[in-house]
Amino acid sequence: MSVAPLGKPSTSGGGADWPPGWRTMPHGISVGRYIDPGFLRLEFDKLWTRTWQAAARLDEIPEAGDFTVYNIGDQSVLLVRADESTVKAYHNVCPHRGTALGEGCGKFENSQIMCPFHGWRWNLHGENQFVLERQEFRGGQLQNSDVALKQVKVAVWAGFVFINFDRNAQPFEEFIAPVRDIVEGLAIEDMHHYWWKSIPVPANWKVAQEAFFEAFHVPMTHPQLEKGGAEVVRGLRDEAEFTHRYVAYETYAQGHGRFYGGKKTPMAGHINKQQQQGDPLEDMANRLMMLVDGMDAMVLKEDVEVLRSLRGKPIPEGSSLGGEYVKALYATAAAQQRPMPKPVPEILGMWGGEVFIFPNLMILPQAGNAMIYRVLPDPVDPDRCTFEIYSTRTYPAAARLERATVESVTDLHDPEQLRLIPRQDLGNIPRIQKGLHSRAMRQTWLAVEQEKLILNMHQELDRYLTAE
């Protein structure tokens, strides 16, 4: 199997013989793509079996013998750190009678993969080492190669392990090319586990991720971050300086995209005028602390401490508070031997923005930190998905790194399990899914600029779903 040739995504609305409820239009998305079990099955058949997808972070398997399991639909992949520089991906199945070889994550004893049913064994490179009563199989002629573990295509990049089930898959280098330089410039490969949470969400996987494809939900969803804008949206004032209007959106081939604030990011010292109260340094610190308290990702408490260390220091002519803050961040990181993003305008302008990697990975970078979202479809129910949040950061050279382990969230509204900003975002998503079932709703409407990443994603999805 292979996808259609690369090129400009189709705008024809997907398959000509599809039901109207499955189609992509130039100005909106038919609701059937989010609620129809048949469309979900089509995605599993033609998207998830053919596309490159982020199966894990390397932090999940830091040492030889470590393994983790990635499940997508009814398919399961065993990811194994075979040695310091090699990661293997195998179909998670014993060729004897189908037993899953791994569950969750762990470490294989004595560097051997062992079936828990009859004890068949393989080395970490998938080569069979032992078959109980071998002489009884295939007339006594069973070869190790007959029962070697079946491999899945794998690519390691930017600290992620990507897999692809398609033997004729597009080379990963071509798939990732549109966003490679941006992500590599952000030092995502040097970032490691800080925390990781998995959240069951009663919504389609596309609904869940599309909530993070634009920034103009901020005034209403996160009023603490844009108070003047929130008051306009609520009809309490006539005008405001909307910071989301500074955000630029770019779409790329392969369904990827990004948005960013450029020179108007908080790191550059931009603060909504309605939120300024006097001391520019304290105003910036207070705004950043809202992100610390609200997420504990992207911006961390120690980053704000670096900002406050500038109090009383003069700002050189031609510079700015934001510029001096960035210099201080880099100076502090250099002293700690802590990796940082490339200090070039395009990369600095991405701080506070997002890079979307098709089909379901979002990277929200900041000053040596990043929040990462991955959304996984439910195997059978289009109204459910699993939403994962990874908080990652670079660490000083002397730091001891921990293996990444996931924490299961049982209630997305619980402040003890999720901080304010994720609760605000995820709180809207079930309401969207409920509304999409309304008989009054046939399609969504998409803003031509603010929501262009959504349309681009669906057009790329159509390219997979209509391929032979």
Side-chain angles (χ1 to χ4, degrees), residues 351-371:
W351 294 5
E354 178 183 297
V355 180
F356 170 62
I357 299 176
F358 182 88
N360 65 331
L361 185 68
M362 292 150 279
I363 300 172
L364 292 77
Q366 200 75 1
N369 315 312
M371 178 177 273

Side-chain angles (χ1 to χ4, degrees), residues 62-68 105-112 403:
E63 298 179 350
D66 290 345
F67 75 87
T68 190
C105 62
K107 193 176 191 71
F108 289 118
E109 294 183 5
N110 303 317
S111 297
Q112 288 192 319
R403 183 175 183 176

